[in-house]
Amino acid sequence: MPAIAANTLTLPRIAGPAPTDTERPVRSVTTGPRGFEGEGFPVVRAFAGVNARDLDPFIHMDQMGEVEYQPGEPRGTDWHPHRGFETVTYMIDGRFAHQDSHGGGGLIADGATQWMTAGSGILHIETPPAELVESGGMFHGIQLWVNLPRKDKFADPNYQAIEGTQATLLSSHDGGALVRIIAGDIDGQAGPGSTHTPITLAHATVEPGARLDVPWSRDFNALVYVLSGRGAVGPVGHPVQQGQLAVLGPGDRIAVTADTSQDSNRPALEVLLLGGRPIREPIYQYGPFVMNSKSEIIQAVEDYQSGKFGAIPPNALMPHRPLR
């Protein structure tokens, strides 16, 4: 269950459509394959098989979990580099600790977001805190990679800690859905995240049988990712379920409807709404480096190997590895 909940009756309501508004049609629905990341935590590769032009300015997204860990099982990542983009880690349930080579860090817990601008280069680690490793517990979140435009590829690294209580909360027009805006804006209401390129990122809970209809900037692309539950997207009601991504075509609004019947352990439809103004610049990616040319990738590897991304701090966080 999402950590941040609210009584929708007390929240600002999203305005209904104008007579001339059009719903964005569904262009494709893909199912993300499952795999493992870092030291072995389970993920769904949300963007697998989707054309990069449809994702721009986003590059990559993993749904981390949803998994109920037993004691000793939680996993994270080891120290690793990034350059040329931003990582956005949103913890829906559970806790993740972050530390980086430029002084950023803290605990990402239950509804909080860590927004890290790698820019010119950074080292970081994300790992479950020791108490979670000992106790086990729920782990469920998202990591999204947002491309930086050419002019910001070498920006100074930065870290934003966005607590769950800072997200802007809205209600659907009929009160049947709760929307948490993390960045960008919906219907004139802005989220707390500061971005280098115009994007919107929001998490919505749609109750069984309810419909969410939100305005969406015409110059943004539009993606709907299903975190859990079942429902339909778009004007003709394309069916979607957990682990699927709907890429939408042009229009003024995004419409999502939850099925009237949901699984007992997934009482509502949970979706991410995301989109942005495409950058339309060349993308060269090599692992954790995302640049505009092959020569910049080579330079990134050389700069990392020569220590220009900073150093692992003394007494740094380290990944949990079980004794064998």
Side-chain angles (χ1 to χ4, degrees):
M1 290 290 291
I4 304 302
N7 180 355
T8 58
L9 297 178
T10 65
L11 297 174
R13 299 288 180 99
I14 297 170
T20 57
D21 282 352
T22 59
E23 285 184 27
R24 288 182 174 243
V26 174
R27 293 174 52 191
S28 67
V29 175
T30 53
T31 302
R34 296 181 180 272
F36 292 90
E37 187 56 80
E39 296 290 306
F41 58 90
V43 297
V44 177
R45 306 292 191 190
F47 291 168
V50 181
N51 190 297
R53 289 185 62 83
D54 291 331
L55 301 173
D56 187 8
F58 308 114
I59 304 163
H60 169 84
M61 189 169 77
D62 279 339
Q63 180 179 7
M64 306 181 297
E66 178 179 8
V67 59
E68 182 75 36
Y69 279 125
Q70 296 301 307
E73 288 185 344
R75 302 285 187 272
T77 72
D78 205 339
W79 284 88
H80 59 281
H82 289 302
R83 172 180 276 182
F85 63 101
E86 300 183 288
T87 64
V88 181
T89 305
Y90 171 48
M91 288 305 300
I92 300 167
D93 287 299
R95 291 159 287 164
F96 229 19
H98 166 91
Q99 189 177 20
D100 65 50
S101 57
H102 285 259
L107 188 66
I108 320 164
D110 293 341
T113 301
Q114 165 222 286
W115 200 296
M116 187 185 77
T117 303
S120 60
I122 200 167
L123 307 176
H124 84 141
I125 184 174
E126 290 166 309
T127 189
E131 63 272 17
L132 180 62
V133 174
E134 293 173 4
S135 67
M138 178 58 68
F139 177 75
H140 187 203
I142 287 289
Q143 183 163 103
L144 172 69
W145 291 12
V146 185
N147 199 9
L148 286 170
R150 187 190 306 272
K151 66 182 180 63
D152 294 326
K153 288 289 188 189
F154 290 90
D156 291 337
N158 188 45
Y159 179 84
Q160 300 175 64
I162 303 170
E163 296 302 324
T165 53
Q166 293 178 277
T168 299
L169 304 182
L170 299 177
S171 167
S172 60
H173 187 64
D174 64 0
L178 171 66
V179 179
R180 310 158 188 83
I181 308 175
I182 298 166
D185 71 88
I186 292 176
D187 201 26
Q189 300 286 331
S194 176
T195 70
H196 281 260
T197 191
I199 69 169
T200 295
L201 171 63
H203 171 197
T205 300
V206 188
E207 295 300 323
R211 175 180 168 86
L212 174 64
D213 185 342
V214 300
W216 205 255
S217 181
R218 266 194 166 268
D219 63 345
F220 281 19
N221 60 2
L223 310 169
V224 177
Y225 178 74
V226 183
L227 296 162
S228 67
R230 296 185 301 272
V233 180
V236 299
H238 279 73
V240 290
Q241 61 184 345
Q242 193 275 329
Q244 291 189 320
L245 178 79
V247 175
L248 308 185
D252 303 293
R253 302 183 72 88
I254 296 175
V256 180
T257 304
D259 285 0
T260 54
S261 175
Q262 302 286 338
D263 295 340
S264 59
N265 63 330
R266 303 179 187 278
L269 174 66
E270 304 283 346
V271 297
L272 280 186
L273 308 176
L274 61 163
R277 186 177 300 145
I279 297 172
R280 300 299 187 224
E281 293 179 354
I283 295 176
Y284 283 76
Q285 180 179 354
Y286 179 73
F289 310 125
V290 181
M291 305 303 293
N292 293 122
S293 67
K294 183 177 178 180
S295 62
E296 288 178 337
I297 290 291
I298 294 170
Q299 186 65 53
V301 173
E302 292 176 350
D303 287 349
Y304 164 58
Q305 292 175 339
S306 63
K308 293 182 179 179
F309 285 21
I312 297 174
N315 302 315
L317 290 172
M318 288 296 169
H320 164 73
R321 294 188 175 99
L323 297 175
R324 299 186 186 279

